[in-house]
């Protein structure tokens, strides 16, 4: 046996080490290419594809570890930031970076509040969470193309919140719903806008079955005190209010068998949501807050 044959096992081992290093570095380059697309592309389909791939991309290997990586959820935040940017929307969102162990963390801030938002992963989807209240504003799944606004957060943040300015909170709602409409129009997402939906055919169903008569009695009295009349619905339990700008607010028993009740808003231009109607009329807002558990809306998904 010559000397070259004796050294072969050692050389083979080194070549394996080199191959693993090359593969690890290539993985890093692939990651960098995807990240570059996510942060610079003006093509919206490329943007979504890059965010989806990065969400599940594992850049580290046994041979090469990359420090200060982002977590998968942060690619959702970058995607959201870029899509808002590409759509030319005015926003009070700010972007903040911090470091936790071996990860960089991205957060959205909002001017004139202490709110900080971050995506957190749960069951394969990403929840957009207010880091102070720990409440989910909406859930987003780029793979299944679904987005849904959380009823509990709408109630707690946008109705029961006594800390933040209403004008600021309404601006948040406007931006987040516009983001949802962009997802619908651009990528054909299914979006549950919850109380923020403006389409006339939307039926806002209550989570609880049945409705106490004193709740509609309160509405009748509150309406009369504010120069509106709650009229009886034809052919079903419930009533409706004719508000300004040809807006009709209806509360009715949708299904007599299950005793499912609901609210519907209609207007000629499909301009008003249930949320905007509540915020426009103080007596309706106060009536809703007073009965907020009984009137809690059911989420679609």
């Amino acid at each position: 046996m010559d000397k070259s044959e004796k050294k072969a096992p050692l050389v083979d081992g080194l070549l394996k080490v080199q191959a693993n290093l090359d593969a690890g570095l290539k993985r890093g380059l692939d990651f960098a290419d995807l990240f570059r697309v996510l942060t610079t592309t003006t093509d919206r389909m490329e943007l979504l594809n890059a965010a989806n791939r990065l969400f599940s991309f594992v850049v580290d290997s046994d041979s090469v570890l990359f420090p200060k990586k982002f977590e998968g959820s942060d690619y959702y935040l970058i995607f959201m930031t870029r899509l808002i940017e590409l759509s030319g929307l005015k926003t009070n969102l700010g972007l903040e970076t911090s470091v936790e162990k071996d990860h960089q963390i991205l957060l959205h801030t909002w001017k004139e509040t202490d709110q900080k938002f971050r995506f957190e992963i749960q069951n394969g989807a990403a929840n957009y969470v207010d880091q102070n209240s720990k409440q989910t504003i909406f859930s987003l799944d780029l793979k299944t193309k679904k987005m849904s606004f959380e009823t509990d957060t709408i109630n707690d943040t946008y109705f029961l919140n006594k800390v933040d300015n209403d004008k600021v909170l309404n601006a948040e709602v406007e931006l987040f719903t516009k983001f949802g409409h962009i997802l619908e129009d651009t990528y054909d997402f299914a979006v549950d806008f919850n109380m923020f939906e403006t389409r006339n055919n939307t039926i806002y169903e209550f989570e609880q079955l049945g409705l106490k008569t004193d709740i509609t009695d309160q509405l009748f009295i509150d309406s009369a005190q504010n120069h509106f009349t709650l009229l009886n619905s034809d052919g079903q339990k419930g009533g409706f209010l004719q508000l300004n700008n040809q807006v009709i607010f209806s509360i009715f028993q949708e299904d007599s068998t299950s005793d499912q009740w609901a609210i519907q808003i209609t207007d000629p231009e499909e301009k008003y949501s249930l949320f905007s109607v509540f915020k426009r009329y103080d007596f309706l807002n106060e009536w809703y807050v007073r009965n907020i558990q009984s009137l809690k809306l059911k989420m679609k998904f």
Side-chain angles (χ1 to χ4, degrees), residues 40-53:
T40 64
T41 187
T42 57
D43 184 298
R44 297 187 184 193
M45 293 310 301
E46 283 188 348
L47 183 70
L48 178 63
N49 291 335
N52 260 322
R53 290 182 63 187

Side-chain angles (χ1 to χ4, degrees), residues 108-154:
H108 275 155
T109 58
W110 192 278
K111 293 178 183 177
E112 299 182 48
T113 74
D114 293 327
Q115 291 174 308
K116 291 186 178 181
F117 303 104
R118 183 164 186 259
F119 279 106
E120 298 179 3
I121 304 304
Q122 186 176 10
N123 300 324
N127 296 332
Y128 192 67
V129 179
D130 180 340
Q131 296 301 293
N132 293 324
S133 68
K134 296 301 179 184
Q135 288 192 297
T136 298
I137 307 297
F138 58 82
S139 297
L140 183 64
D141 192 324
L142 298 183
K143 187 174 182 180
T144 62
K145 294 188 176 182
K146 287 185 177 181
M147 178 187 186
S148 59
F149 286 89
E150 296 282 329
T151 299
D152 286 333
T153 303
I154 292 172

Side-chain angles (χ1 to χ4, degrees), residues 5-216:
E5 288 177 324
K6 291 180 181 179
K7 291 181 180 179
L10 177 59
V11 172
D12 286 346
L14 291 174
L15 290 175
K16 287 180 181 178
V17 170
Q18 182 62 56
N20 289 336
L21 285 171
D22 289 341
L25 291 171
K26 183 181 183 304
R27 187 180 299 179
L29 290 172
D30 291 342
F31 167 83
D33 287 340
L34 279 175
F35 191 76
R36 186 178 299 106
V37 171
L38 185 67
T39 54
T40 64
T41 187
T42 57
D43 184 298
R44 297 187 184 193
M45 293 310 301
E46 283 188 348
L47 183 70
L48 178 63
N49 291 335
N52 260 322
R53 290 182 63 187
L54 284 167
F55 177 68
S56 57
F57 197 103
V58 179
V59 66
D60 285 342
S61 65
D62 292 338
S63 300
V64 182
L65 301 178
F66 292 86
K68 296 184 179 180
K69 300 173 289 294
F70 287 113
E71 292 188 337
S73 60
D74 291 318
Y75 302 121
Y76 270 63
L77 192 137
I78 297 170
F79 167 80
M80 177 180 174
T81 305
R82 293 287 337 279
L83 191 56
I84 288 172
E85 176 187 67
L86 289 174
S87 301
L89 298 180
K90 293 182 179 179
T91 174
N92 287 324
L93 281 179
L95 195 62
E96 185 178 291
T97 306
S98 62
V99 178
E100 184 176 297
K101 296 181 180 179
D102 63 340
H103 284 82
Q104 294 187 85
I105 293 174
L106 287 176
L107 301 113
H108 275 155
T109 58
W110 192 278
K111 293 178 183 177
E112 299 182 48
T113 74
D114 293 327
Q115 291 174 308
K116 291 186 178 181
F117 303 104
R118 183 164 186 259
F119 279 106
E120 298 179 3
I121 304 304
Q122 186 176 10
N123 300 324
N127 296 332
Y128 192 67
V129 179
D130 180 340
Q131 296 301 293
N132 293 324
S133 68
K134 296 301 179 184
Q135 288 192 297
T136 298
I137 307 297
F138 58 82
S139 297
L140 183 64
D141 192 324
L142 298 183
K143 187 174 182 180
T144 62
K145 294 188 176 182
K146 287 185 177 181
M147 178 187 186
S148 59
F149 286 89
E150 296 282 329
T151 299
D152 286 333
T153 303
I154 292 172
N155 288 343
D156 291 341
T157 303
Y158 302 112
F159 285 96
L160 303 177
N161 183 347
K162 302 301 182 184
V163 177
D164 296 306
N165 182 282
D166 279 347
K167 185 177 180 181
V168 173
L169 294 175
N170 290 341
E172 284 184 5
V173 170
E174 184 178 1
L175 178 69
F176 297 152
T177 52
K178 282 182 178 178
F179 174 63
H181 284 297
I182 294 167
L183 293 174
E184 267 191 335
D185 297 340
T186 306
Y187 303 114
D188 198 28
F189 267 60
V191 181
D192 177 6
F193 287 100
N194 203 298
M195 193 181 289
F196 308 136
E197 179 61 79
T198 60
R199 283 167 275 219
N200 284 344
N201 63 355
T202 301
I203 305 295
Y204 303 97
E205 292 183 338
F206 301 138
E207 189 173 84
Q208 294 182 9
L209 295 176
L211 189 69
K212 295 178 181 177
T213 55
D214 65 338
I215 293 177
T216 50

